Amino acid sequence: MKVDTIDLFTPSGERLAADHDRMPWDVYPRPTLRRDSYLCLNGWWDFAVTADGDTFPAAYEKQIRVPYCPESLLSGVHEVLPKGSYLFYHRTFSVPDGFQKDRVILHIGAVDQVATVWINGVDVGGHVGGYSPLWLDITDHLQDENEIVVRVEDYLDRAQLPYGKQKYKRGGMWYTPVSGIWQTVWLESVPAEYVRSLEVTTDDSGATIHTHGVTDGTVSVTTPDGVLECALRNGVARVDLPSPRLWCPEDPYLYEYTVKTAEDEVKSYFAIRNLDIQIVNGIPRMCLNGKPVFFHAVLDQGYWSDGLFTPPLPTCYAWDVEKMQTLGFNTLRKHIKIEAEQFYYDCDRLGMLVWQDMVNNGRYSFLRDTALPTIGMKKLCDKYLHPDNATRAAFEMGMRQTVTQLKKHPCIVGWTIFNEGWGQFDSQRMYELLKELDDTRFVDTASGWFKGADSDVVSEHVYFKPFRYKTADKPVFLSEFGGYSYKPEGHVFNEKETYGYRLFEDAATYMNAVEALYRKEIIPAVSQGLCGAVYTQLSDVENETNGLYSYDRRVCKVDEVRMRAIAEELKGEL
């Protein structure tokens, strides 16, 4: 690592680092499809980095703590690996007596970017994509004692595979790259015929549950009035709720349910809530359950000082959510990253709304994508941008995976396709494709600039000038603003370099400026028609010191009482 940086541990990470033998992330990793079968394979693995991916390493010189990427402090490696490297993970495991029902499935929550898996020397399959899960049936290759090897190639190919904020030469708004396994590795055992996935569609009177992999059985739904039993026939069960309890931030009620077949049993949940756009007092408003809601939001990059992509403990997600709720926020914009399912479950159960970004790919141009739009040149036809077919196909694949993976979560109220032109192409077609995949949520097609395609909102980014509301025929969404920087002493990743949009030397001046920004520009705009505002950002990330919390999550830079007062005034302006 560069000598100008300081190792920062979060409180949770400090406790984990001090306990060498603690099993990290030993919680059931799939809250929306829970089965009574789970064997965690996290912890210390043998690790090697080579330039030759065709040959297993002769020796494993290091150990790595899974599921933390090798670039992170918590991994025990803490190195940015050379371009073109192959990462080899190795360990042994045995399946406990009574664990195996019929088939055994290996899961890796996420591995960046291209993975191949061997069980006892047999290539059992692989996966492409750094943000979506890998799962493989390894039953036929199991022995009493088993050896697993995972080979990972991470090209950080900025032209094709989605990469988000990763960059080898980090700095400013670009961060340390993440390679290899960064979510939980685990086994489950399933019967021959088992529930592979669940899909729920809801309406004003109930829910329809679709099961994949099984056809017949029963569905039991727990309601405030008792348990409803429904028949599962041909893979479909209909649940009628006489008086549905609607999910919202103030009452995030989840309907728990169980699917039971002759051989399998799984548990999950759904929520009843609806989103639409209505004209309220002559103004187009985004509504939740028929009522206008102001998306009082904060940008959430999902980085931790010690785990990078992976929080030290699963509880860290809820910690972030609850701290933002304490400050009065009701929404997170999950920025150009897909999290482990635990994050979305915590938002579901705690009542935090989420705008979910797609992860960008394609080559970034500072002149085209940042400099010229910042001075007002925000019009650009994108139909023929990033014309490489492989680049476009990779983005489409990532978007399909993201929607399929996450649309089950009621907390997600909106999708962002492109951010500030990064990798943007043929946005009209991408809007239409996303609406085919999911027409139940709001879509921000081009967050910031390069508009022209259909979008459900008028999306603006304003940093270097005062925000002025302009009347539009769609809801106006200030999807980024603020970015004020203050560096609390002793809690800064890089003392020499600073990235932010206005710099403040002390906490009092910083808080006064944040409050003035809301009172002068945001609160007055709500009654005029502003429907949401996303403050940049939840926490510092490396050189970018514009967080409401420090990068190590130890310092809250703003006054909680004053921030909650701002939130109450925003609600009062609707």
Side-chain angles (χ1 to χ4, degrees), residues 219-495:
V219 175
S220 303
V221 183
T222 302
T223 78
D225 301 317
V227 176
L228 290 177
E229 297 282 351
C230 311
L232 175 68
R233 296 190 180 95
N234 299 318
V236 180
R238 173 64 190 180
V239 182
D240 289 314
L241 301 168
S243 301
R245 185 168 168 180
L246 301 182
W247 184 97
C248 64
E250 296 76 21
D251 182 21
Y253 184 78
L254 302 176
Y255 285 90
E256 299 277 347
Y257 70 94
T258 301
V259 176
K260 190 172 184 178
T261 70
E263 297 185 5
D264 199 12
E265 181 174 328
V266 297
K267 297 180 184 298
S268 188
Y269 65 89
F270 64 84
I272 305 292
R273 62 112 180 90
N274 60 73
L275 301 163
D276 65 353
I277 295 173
Q278 300 180 18
I279 304 299
V280 181
N281 298 324
I283 297 170
R285 295 281 190 187
M286 291 183 280
C287 296
L288 171 64
N289 300 328
K291 298 179 180 179
V293 58
F294 185 81
F295 294 98
H296 181 33
V298 63
L299 197 73
D300 181 5
Q301 308 267 15
Y303 275 75
W304 282 262
S305 60
D306 42 18
L308 294 181
F309 265 17
T310 312
L313 301 176
T315 53
C316 293
Y317 284 133
W319 191 94
D320 274 6
V321 170
E322 290 173 330
K323 290 300 181 183
M324 292 303 103
Q325 290 176 323
T326 298
L327 296 180
F329 294 98
N330 64 7
T331 307
L332 300 177
R333 178 183 170 192
K334 179 51 68 173
H335 195 38
I336 320 183
K337 184 186 176 219
I338 314 301
E339 296 290 2
E341 192 171 303
Q342 182 70 41
F343 166 78
Y344 302 97
Y345 171 60
D346 286 335
C347 291
D348 287 343
R349 68 182 182 84
L350 294 172
M352 178 62 83
L353 305 171
V354 175
W355 279 77
Q356 175 65 53
D357 290 8
M358 303 302 160
V359 182
N360 59 287
N361 69 341
R363 298 193 183 280
Y364 166 79
S365 165
F366 173 77
L367 179 64
R368 179 193 64 212
D369 297 329
T370 297
L372 294 179
T374 299
I375 63 173
M377 299 178 66
K378 297 183 178 181
K379 293 184 178 181
L380 182 66
C381 177
D382 67 10
K383 189 171 181 62
Y384 303 106
L385 281 178
H386 305 282
D388 178 71
N389 287 333
T391 299
R392 292 182 168 208
F395 180 84
E396 288 187 33
M397 178 185 72
M399 186 163 74
R400 290 179 185 274
Q401 289 175 336
T402 298
V403 175
T404 299
Q405 185 175 338
L406 299 183
K407 70 177 182 179
K408 67 192 81 171
H409 292 284
C411 66
I412 298 179
V413 293
W415 304 110
T416 302
I417 303 178
F418 297 113
N419 179 75
E420 294 185 351
W422 302 353
Q424 184 171 328
F425 69 93
D426 204 357
S427 52
Q428 180 62 38
R429 185 167 66 86
M430 291 302 99
Y431 172 85
E432 293 168 0
L433 173 59
L434 182 51
K435 282 296 189 179
E436 289 178 11
L437 297 171
D438 179 17
D439 64 356
T440 68
R441 293 174 169 91
F442 307 122
V443 172
D444 181 357
T445 304
S447 183
W449 40 78
F450 299 162
K451 300 173 178 60
D454 287 342
S455 179
D456 295 336
V457 297
V458 175
S459 179
E460 302 290 348
H461 291 185
V462 177
Y463 284 116
F464 299 106
K465 61 181 181 180
F467 171 69
R468 297 290 182 263
Y469 175 80
K470 295 180 181 178
T471 302
D473 60 357
K474 299 176 182 178
V476 176
F477 186 38
L478 182 58
S479 47
E480 287 187 32
F481 80 105
Y484 287 3
S485 172
Y486 161 57
K487 301 171 72 169
E489 185 177 355
H491 302 276
V492 178
F493 174 79
N494 189 332
E495 293 182 338

Side-chain angles (χ1 to χ4, degrees), residues 139-153:
T139 313
D140 297 338
H141 311 288
L142 291 175
Q143 303 171 3
D144 291 340
E145 184 74 13
N146 301 283
E147 180 184 54
I148 178 172
V149 175
V150 181
R151 184 192 67 193
V152 183
E153 307 165 63

